[in-house]
Amino acid sequence: MDTLRIDGQVVLVTGAGSGIGLAVARACAAEGATVHLADVSDTVHEAAGTLTGNGSGTGTATGTVVPHVCDVREPDAVRALVDGIVAASGRLDIAFLNAGVNGAPSLLQPGGAIDELSFAEWRRIMDVNLDGLFHCLQHCARVMKEQRSGSIVVTASTAGLRAEPRVSYPYVASKSAVVGLVRQAALELARFGVRVNALAPGPVVTNIGGTGPRPAAAVAAWENSVPMRRWGRPDDLAGLALLLASDASSWMTGGVHVVDGGASALTQVPSDTLPAPDATTL
Ligand SMILES: NC(=O)c1ccc[n+]([C@@H]2O[C@H](COP(=O)([O-])OP(=O)(O)OC[C@H]3O[C@@H](n4cnc5c(N)ncnc54)[C@H](O)[C@@H]3O)[C@@H](O)[C@H]2O)c1
């Protein structure tokens, strides 16, 4: 299908240094797009190298790949990133706004209850997942409104679509707000030819929970809540990201698209993942 092609298009991916962002950047580069990878970590240079086949890479990029160190929490840095891309590549066709963090205690962990969670933890996650997205959305929209075209794809989460005891308050709240931000932006930008959609992944094996080994019981509990009985892999998101980025989805905007191995088809999470009942209130 020709409408799926993005070769020659200019793409920005935030949070591109690892995980889902890197997988989407790799897919765009393999399709022949000019891909700008942005990440707060300078390992983004190494990550970009793996796409091109430079150094130790075995990549399949047929387009240009450009790494940038950029902290999405810094509005001036985001402005400079977006303006720099337009100056270097002439335009910005596709933005995959994906930078995100977690790591705060879930409802099931010590410190995760609403009256225990520190405001610093709340802010740490909101600053990246919500405020950082706002800065990126604002500057990408500014450019795309002007050029009267563009596709923005945002990484939300299934944790933004329902309560989730296995995830922290600020993560659930930030991703719920992300969904609202995507819908509101889609509403505004539609008349400028700019589409805005969200991916909502379920559990995906990435560095977001840290790079060390994960507790086996938690890994198994997540797996057991997925009908396809496995965690997602970053590449599982790339196909839908390409569809939403390309003209193949030309009449799709404001949508939140779940990719979770069927987990959301369940009406509730397994009861063994709920917080233990308090005997005094039953
Ligand atoms: N892994 C999952 O289970 C899962 C599920 C649903 C949604 N998500 C979302 O997917 C997105 C990608 O996460 P991932 O799972 O690939 O994790 P990841 O940790 O592998 O990748 C996230 C990247 O974002 C970067 N980043 C963090 N803070 C940043 C900042 N301030 N500025 C720029 N870059 C920053 C990190 O350095 C990292 O390279 C996030 O928005 C996350 O919330 C992940």
Side-chain angles (χ1 to χ4, degrees):
M1 263 178 87
D2 273 359
T3 51
L4 267 171
R5 296 183 62 166
I6 59 164
D7 48 306
Q9 299 205 17
V10 180
V11 181
L12 164 64
V13 181
T14 70
S18 79
I20 295 168
L22 181 57
V24 170
R26 185 184 298 111
C28 292
E31 290 299 312
T34 294
V35 185
H36 293 267
L37 294 88
D39 203 285
V40 71
S41 166
D42 62 9
T43 57
V44 68
H45 291 280
E46 199 182 321
T50 66
L51 306 192
T52 59
N54 292 338
S56 61
T58 53
T60 53
T62 57
T64 309
V65 170
V66 190
H68 305 261
V69 174
C70 177
D71 186 339
V72 298
R73 294 171 295 186
E74 301 293 338
D76 291 344
V78 174
R79 176 192 290 277
L81 171 72
V82 172
D83 289 347
I85 290 171
V86 174
S89 302
R91 50 190 296 112
L92 176 62
D93 299 300
I94 295 162
F96 187 66
L97 305 181
N98 162 81
V101 292
N102 194 3
S106 78
L107 284 198
L108 306 175
Q109 293 171 320
I114 189 71
D115 53 335
E116 292 172 2
L117 190 76
S118 76
F119 185 57
E121 267 302 79
W122 171 270
R123 276 265 44 102
R124 182 180 68 77
I125 290 179
M126 285 295 181
D127 280 350
V128 179
N129 293 7
L130 185 56
D131 295 10
L133 173 63
F134 170 73
H135 303 317
C136 294
L137 199 49
Q138 192 165 53
H139 289 293
C140 293
R142 170 172 60 80
V143 166
M144 289 177 174
K145 273 170 93 162
E146 178 78 23
Q147 72 190 15
R148 292 290 194 273
S149 69
S151 176
I152 299 173
V153 183
V154 172
T155 310
S157 170
T158 51
L161 301 175
R162 53 175 162 72
E164 174 50 80
R166 297 167 290 182
V167 174
S168 68
Y169 265 100
Y171 193 81
V172 167
S174 65
K175 293 298 182 178
S176 301
V178 162
V179 168
L181 197 51
V182 163
R183 290 181 175 141
Q184 189 79 348
L187 183 67
E188 186 209 336
L189 299 177
R191 71 194 177 94
F192 298 104
V194 180
R195 300 184 296 108
V196 189
N197 288 286
L199 293 180
V204 182
V205 179
T206 68
N207 290 335
I208 201 162
T211 50
R214 292 156 189 252
V219 170
W222 278 106
E223 206 164 276
N224 289 338
S225 66
V226 174
M228 293 184 80
R229 289 302 171 118
R230 69 165 172 85
W231 283 57
R233 305 168 189 127
D235 285 343
D236 288 325
L237 281 303
L240 182 57
L242 279 181
L243 174 78
L244 293 173
S246 72
D247 286 346
S249 59
S250 57
W251 205 53
M252 293 170 72
T253 196
V256 181
H257 304 276
V258 168
V259 184
D260 69 350
S264 299
L266 294 164
T267 54
Q268 62 181 41
V269 296
S271 58
D272 61 355
T273 65
L274 293 176
D278 181 339
T280 61
T281 57
L282 292 177

